[in-house]
Amino acid sequence: MKSYTIHLIRNGLTDETLEGRYIGHTNVELSEDGMAQLAQMKEELIYPPVEALFTSPLKRCTKTAEILYPDNKPIVIDGFIEYNFGEFENKTAEQLEKYEEFSRWLAGEKGVRPPYGESNEDFAKRVCETFEKVAEGLMKTGTTSAAIVTHGGVIMTILAAYGIPEYPMHEWLTPNGCGFTIKVNPSLWMRAKKFEVFSEYPYEREKLPD
């Protein structure tokens, strides 16, 4: 039985990330350094060709997809957008200390959400439903290789929900422009809604996975 290879890739660097701001739905651009870093990684490392390319609608992801996969026309998926931080959006942790919800939200307290934002449960439900539709669409069409360019929080959520080995979200944090290769086996997916986390991504030239 064939398996399906999906590369989960975090968007490139933004100035706001370096400033320590919570950036979710805000449609910020890649920084100049972020674009240069991606171009250098593209030259020095291996991002193998894929049959299908999916991306979050935000510019930091669509530009990352354009740099890393210039030969693919991306399919934009709204469900892969980053967390909606509500009133926490574009603020630093220092600026958020005045919100009584902030520490409870950081601690992962169930049902707590930023004012006018998503709860962790709502975010996970949205992301997981979106990923399942994409994964099952690949299997239905026989598309065996794909890349998803999205955000750090989205990647961590997907891997914490479905990945083997099983780790909590914070263990799946990945640098900008990087991510993980997963292998979806239809039998395991249909039986247990799980996939194998195969390797880190992109690949070093002398350490290509088998």
Side-chain angles (χ1 to χ4, degrees), residues 143-204:
T143 304
T144 58
S145 64
I148 299 172
V149 180
T150 183
H151 310 271
V154 173
I155 293 172
M156 290 190 290
T157 297
I158 292 170
L159 294 174
Y162 306 111
I164 298 173
E166 296 182 347
Y167 294 123
M169 278 185 66
H170 67 272
E171 295 286 343
W172 296 116
L173 183 64
T174 185
N176 295 96
C178 299
F180 296 91
T181 298
I182 65 174
K183 297 278 190 180
V184 181
N185 176 286
S187 177
L188 177 62
W189 180 257
M190 297 305 292
R191 184 174 70 252
K193 281 291 192 295
K194 291 289 181 179
F195 54 64
E196 175 192 3
V197 182
F198 185 65
S199 69
E200 294 182 352
Y201 193 78
Y203 309 139
E204 296 182 24

Side-chain angles (χ1 to χ4, degrees), residues 81-151:
I81 200 169
E82 182 59 289
Y83 194 93
N84 181 355
F85 290 109
E87 286 191 11
F88 294 177
E89 188 79 25
N90 207 22
K91 294 182 174 67
T92 64
E94 184 178 15
Q95 292 171 319
L96 292 172
E97 289 177 355
K98 64 182 180 181
Y99 290 87
E100 65 90 13
E101 303 100 334
F102 181 58
S103 60
R104 295 165 56 209
W105 173 74
L106 273 184
E109 188 174 322
K110 190 172 182 180
V112 177
R113 69 182 67 209
Y116 306 106
E118 285 180 293
S119 68
N120 293 333
E121 293 79 15
D122 288 344
F123 175 65
K125 182 175 184 291
R126 166 170 65 81
V127 168
C128 288
E129 287 178 351
T130 302
F131 177 78
E132 289 184 15
K133 288 177 183 177
V134 168
E136 289 163 12
L138 294 176
M139 287 184 273
K140 285 179 182 177
T141 59
T143 304
T144 58
S145 64
I148 299 172
V149 180
T150 183
H151 310 271

